[in-house]
Amino acid sequence: MKLKDQRAPDEAVLPAIFGRLLDAYGPQHWWPGDSPTEVAVGAILTQNTAWTNVERAIKRMRQGGWLDWRRIDAAEAETLAEVIRPAGTFRVKAARLKALAHVVAARHGGSIERMLTRQTEGSVPRTIDEIRAELLAIHGIGPETADAIMLYAGGHATFVIDTYTRRVLRRHFLAGANEAYDALRALFMRSLPPDERVFNEYHALLVRVGKEHCGSVARCDGCPLAALPHDEPALDGNAE
Ligand code: SF4
């Protein structure tokens, strides 16, 4: 199916998708979390699990005084793993939290805010790419987690690509099946104004439409994006 608009498809369609989703759903008030530390912890705990499990784990951390990077860094991995058990794959996630905590504690005085800020004690501010690279160098932090921390804990204009986003892009002819993460991130970032509020809201809205309509099987009836050119899973058998 060809797009009617003669501009590059991403230029025309990505802002249109955003507008339609925002009109339909309104602001999503993301990310759920009371502080940059809670958001960053949540970004790691949410890997491969439902958010309700993450909430239970974060509640245990909050109640036990575990939202403290120095304490996480100093803790035995097994002890931390028991605290975050409700999040699932808790030993893996404890190791990942400890890896991030070690960098926060050793290089940034135990402050995730200091890690994520562009301001430095020297005269040259860090670039967003430098902050992102520091996150990506940490064991267990891939691009999706790094961008979620950058955007929702650090307030930096970087786009988060997740499974829901990939599905919507593919079904709307904006990406192939196996596009690289960075190619999809670049697609959003060149098609939208570099405004972290837009990126924040857009990702949250894509998750909303993914949960309500565009899951492993597309339910296009009543979807806010149904009027835009899209794949017809029932016809081509392309549902996952
Ligand atoms: S459910 Fe259908 S209309 Fe909605 S985003 Fe997915 S493919 Fe597009």
Side-chain angles (χ1 to χ4, degrees):
M1 187 183 295
K2 281 212 157 133
L3 298 172
K4 288 178 190 150
D5 198 302
Q6 293 306 303
R7 290 178 290 171
D10 49 300
E11 281 178 41
V13 178
L14 287 180
I17 288 175
F18 178 62
R20 285 169 184 268
L21 292 176
L22 191 60
D23 285 349
Y25 295 136
Q28 299 299 293
H29 307 292
W30 267 40
W31 175 295
D34 290 342
S35 66
T37 288
E38 206 170 296
V39 171
V41 166
I44 290 176
L45 295 184
T46 198
Q47 295 168 342
N48 303 312
T49 197
W51 184 253
T52 49
N53 298 331
V54 176
E55 285 179 323
R56 289 167 55 215
I58 289 181
K59 186 176 177 189
R60 285 163 65 115
M61 290 184 76
R62 196 186 300 121
Q63 289 174 339
W66 282 95
L67 293 170
D68 175 334
W69 297 106
R70 286 199 169 107
R71 184 175 179 192
I72 293 172
D73 182 37
E76 292 290 334
E78 270 302 310
T79 307
L80 179 62
E82 273 309 310
V83 176
I84 64 167
R85 181 181 274 268
T89 55
F90 46 93
R91 289 192 182 87
V92 171
K93 290 175 181 174
R96 290 176 180 178
L97 282 176
K98 282 185 63 64
L100 173 58
H102 184 68
V103 172
V104 174
R107 294 189 202 153
H108 302 284
S111 166
I112 191 89
E113 290 90 337
R114 202 177 303 171
M115 179 183 187
L116 296 175
T117 186
R118 296 190 57 220
Q119 300 308 316
T120 62
E121 285 167 14
S123 55
V124 182
R126 295 209 298 168
T127 66
I128 288 178
D129 286 344
E130 286 169 339
I131 300 169
R132 187 171 185 263
E134 186 176 31
L135 282 167
L136 286 172
I138 296 170
H139 171 72
I141 296 189
E144 182 182 337
T145 304
D147 286 326
I149 293 172
M150 292 283 292
L151 178 60
Y152 291 105
H156 297 302
T158 182
F159 209 91
V160 182
I161 304 297
D162 67 353
T163 303
Y164 293 121
T165 307
R166 286 180 179 278
R167 282 201 191 107
V168 172
L169 290 182
R170 194 181 70 243
R171 289 172 175 162
H172 284 262
F173 313 112
L174 296 165
N178 298 305
E179 299 274 356
Y181 182 99
D182 283 342
L184 297 181
R185 173 175 174 262
L187 176 68
F188 279 96
M189 293 179 69
R190 71 171 177 262
S191 306
L192 300 164
D195 183 338
E196 56 96 4
R197 294 167 301 177
V198 172
F199 291 3
N200 175 323
E201 201 60 60
Y202 203 153
H203 173 64
L205 288 163
L206 286 166
V207 172
R208 174 88 179 260
V209 76
K211 286 184 173 169
E212 295 194 6
H213 290 278
C214 207
S216 55
V217 175
R219 297 183 299 276
C220 301
D221 279 355
C223 177
L225 305 185
L228 297 174
H230 62 277
D231 203 356
E232 300 289 348
L235 297 179
D236 66 12
N238 201 27
E240 294 167 350

